[in-house]
Amino acid sequence: MFKYNCLNPIAQVGLAKFDKNYENTENVAEADGILVRSAAMHDMELSDNLKCVARAGAGVNNIPLDKCAEKGIVVFNTPGANANAVKELVISGMLLASRDIIGSAKWVEANKDDENLAKTQEKEKKKFAGTEIAGKKLGVIGLGAIGVLVANAAIGLGMEVYGYDPYLSVKSAWSLDKSVKHVVDVNDIYKNCDFITIHVPLMDSTKNTINAEAISLMKDGVIILNFARDILCDEKAVLAGIASGKVRKYVSDFANPTTAGQVGCIVTSHLGASTEEAEDNCAKMAVDEMRNFLENGNIINSVNYPNCDMGVCSAKARVTICHKNTANMITKFTATFGDLNINIENMMNKSKGDYAYTIIDVADDINDDIITKLNSIDGVIKVRAI
Ligand SMILES: NC(=O)c1ccc[n+]([C@@H]2O[C@H](COP(=O)([O-])OP(=O)(O)OC[C@H]3O[C@@H](n4cnc5c(N)ncnc54)[C@H](O)[C@@H]3O)[C@@H](O)[C@H]2O)c1
């Protein structure tokens, strides 16, 4: 029997994935796993019983990742679970920027008492006319979970799509529509595209990716979309681009005093992942990750330990070890089993930064003595018998 604790309300469709071997506990100290959305965990006491934390969402800045890693607590997030929600908002952003739908709706509201509205609109509508997106060139910077969906949807809408991602994953490459043109120099996107959308993670190296220099290379009348993070764009440079006529519209999902209410800016209030479906997907994925880890010892989508997946154990028993990423660890593990004359049938070891994880399937039952011996190896953080 495993126990889990929810620090925030978690969508019911996710919790429904726990079977009879799981019990929800209000007492966080006895939980094997914690499900969390935005609750701050930095000052929380982490019990020795806690094995994992699953964040239903992508950002993990509310979780003390190092402190967890140090205690052998594996932290998961749910990358891609909200990608479709963001993709749909990006597509709507392109449409809102192409035609003055917002201006037209505001005009109708302001003239709602005009008895001749039906006639007046015919005179006024040219003010809100725009362009179509079919046939235009879209540049997608960052082809991860969101970027791939945006690129593929834009192909479906008749756009010519250029994609740039120097670290493209095999999964993304498989998922990408074959009509998307692969760009190796991001400047080619700046020089050629009518719409440019950015979907990279915020890191020191990606801050201000869209800066004055990049904008100077862009086509006149370019539309820039930012549904990733505001500081990926130098927004002062974007405003200067709007003032000079270089940039036609800037669409951002991150309200701040720089762009809110500014001419040429369409700004939403971080709505990207705010759909019922995205919350459900995150909850389902978080529970799947937690169950796979607690029941099989597999790590998929961890942010503080390496991914390490050996499927379901078909040997007699499985041992998992969270440990420091230092020399000779595997030799010491195999020697421990060798000394006890226990045959290792299968094993996997992966590392991520200072930490590593090993799964060992063996041909004999695991007893407390073996666990104690493995735990006593210098650098071992947590050992579990599955
Ligand atoms: N608006 C919202 O509510 C919302 C919701 C979810 C995510 N986001 C943002 O969107 C970003 C992307 O999300 P995702 O799920 O697609 O992430 P992801 O990790 O699946 O994809 C990111 C991609 O960017 C690529 N990349 C990294 N550095 C790059 C660079 N310098 N140039 C080009 N490509 C680069 C990576 O190789 C990866 O393919 C997130 O980091 C987050 O900030 C926003």
Side-chain angles (χ1 to χ4, degrees):
M1 174 71 78
F2 293 109
K3 293 189 177 177
Y4 66 90
N5 173 271
C6 298
L7 290 182
N8 296 103
I10 301 293
Q12 195 49 44
V13 286
L15 299 181
K17 298 196 108 200
F18 284 123
D19 65 11
K20 58 180 177 8
N21 296 316
Y22 287 80
E23 188 185 307
N24 187 352
T25 176
E26 293 298 313
N27 179 4
V28 68
E30 63 176 17
D32 299 287
I34 287 178
L35 286 163
V36 62
R37 285 170 61 193
S38 54
M41 293 186 65
H42 284 278
D43 296 330
M44 256 180 76
E45 186 91 15
L46 302 171
S47 92
D48 288 341
N49 190 48
L50 185 62
K51 298 166 186 69
C52 62
V53 174
R55 153 93 165 105
V60 284
N61 53 3
N62 55 321
I63 305 169
L65 301 184
D66 284 342
K67 190 167 134 194
C68 285
E70 196 58 49
K71 292 196 68 148
I73 298 164
V74 178
V75 180
F76 298 92
N77 71 346
T78 57
N82 51 25
N84 188 65
V86 180
K87 171 205 85 181
E88 291 189 8
L89 206 64
V90 174
I91 300 296
S92 72
M94 286 202 286
L95 297 168
L96 291 174
S98 299
R99 306 172 70 169
D100 195 2
I101 301 166
I102 296 173
S104 168
K106 279 187 183 163
W107 179 87
V108 172
E109 203 179 335
N111 291 276
K112 64 181 188 305
D113 298 327
D114 178 358
E115 283 178 4
N116 292 319
L117 189 57
K119 266 191 176 168
T120 328
Q121 72 180 350
E122 297 305 325
K123 274 194 254 159
E124 295 291 322
K125 68 181 183 187
K126 57 179 174 298
K127 284 188 196 159
F128 311 111
T131 52
E132 299 181 17
I133 62 173
K136 303 292 188 304
K137 292 181 177 147
L138 168 68
V140 183
I141 302 175
L143 292 162
I146 298 170
V148 164
L149 293 187
V150 169
N152 292 353
I155 292 282
L157 290 167
M159 299 183 85
E160 202 178 311
V161 181
Y162 295 76
Y164 170 77
D165 190 332
Y167 319 105
L168 188 75
S169 69
V170 173
K171 188 175 173 216
S172 285
W174 274 110
S175 317
L176 207 55
D177 190 297
K178 66 178 179 348
S179 312
V180 175
K181 295 177 176 67
H182 176 211
V183 169
V184 290
D185 180 352
V186 71
N187 290 335
D188 289 338
I189 285 195
Y190 297 148
K191 286 179 198 157
N192 292 310
C193 291
D194 307 292
F195 294 79
I196 295 174
T197 186
I198 183 161
H199 299 288
V200 303
L202 176 62
M203 301 178 287
D204 282 343
S205 60
T206 56
K207 230 169 165 177
N208 280 338
T209 296
I210 306 286
N211 53 25
E213 195 188 339
I215 293 170
S216 72
L217 297 173
M218 293 179 191
K219 284 171 85 169
D220 288 346
V222 65
I223 290 170
I224 300 171
L225 300 118
N226 180 3
F227 287 78
R229 285 292 175 262
D230 49 2
I231 49 178
L232 291 168
C233 291
D234 175 350
E235 293 188 324
K236 292 214 165 87
V238 172
L239 292 182
I242 292 171
S244 72
K246 178 73 156 176
V247 178
R248 177 166 149 200
K249 287 273 194 263
Y250 175 61
V251 190
S252 159
D253 194 25
F254 306 97
N256 65 37
T258 308
T259 53
Q262 295 293 328
V263 174
C265 295
I266 299 173
V267 185
T268 46
S269 49
H270 200 179
L271 280 185
S274 298
T275 65
E276 279 175 32
E277 292 85 348
E279 281 182 16
D280 287 356
N281 289 342
C282 288
K284 286 192 274 188
M285 197 166 163
V287 172
D288 283 344
E289 290 164 351
M290 181 178 283
R291 283 197 60 173
N292 196 3
F293 179 67
L294 292 175
E295 294 169 34
N296 304 311
N298 294 323
I299 300 183
I300 297 174
N301 294 327
S302 172
V303 285
N304 64 347
Y305 271 91
N307 285 343
C308 194
D309 180 4
M310 287 226 310
V312 175
C313 177
S314 56
K316 193 86 185 264
R318 173 173 287 183
V319 174
T320 67
I321 310 168
C322 291
H323 55 97
K324 290 278 175 63
N325 183 19
T326 48
N328 277 330
M329 296 305 287
I330 298 169
T331 315
K332 290 175 191 163
F333 301 154
T334 53
T336 305
F337 286 104
D339 290 349
L340 295 163
N341 207 22
I342 294 175
N343 184 35
I344 293 176
E345 294 200 345
N346 222 337
M347 72 180 283
M348 184 180 275
N349 167 271
K350 299 275 178 183
S351 65
K352 180 171 183 150
D354 292 338
Y355 298 94
Y357 189 71
T358 300
I359 302 177
I360 303 173
D361 284 358
V362 289
D364 269 302
D365 287 328
I366 300 295
N367 56 35
D368 289 347
D369 180 41
I370 301 170
I371 300 289
T372 308
K373 285 197 166 86
L374 289 168
N375 261 322
S376 67
I377 296 170
D378 196 28
V380 165
I381 299 172
K382 193 174 242 167
V383 181
R384 285 173 65 214
I386 304 286

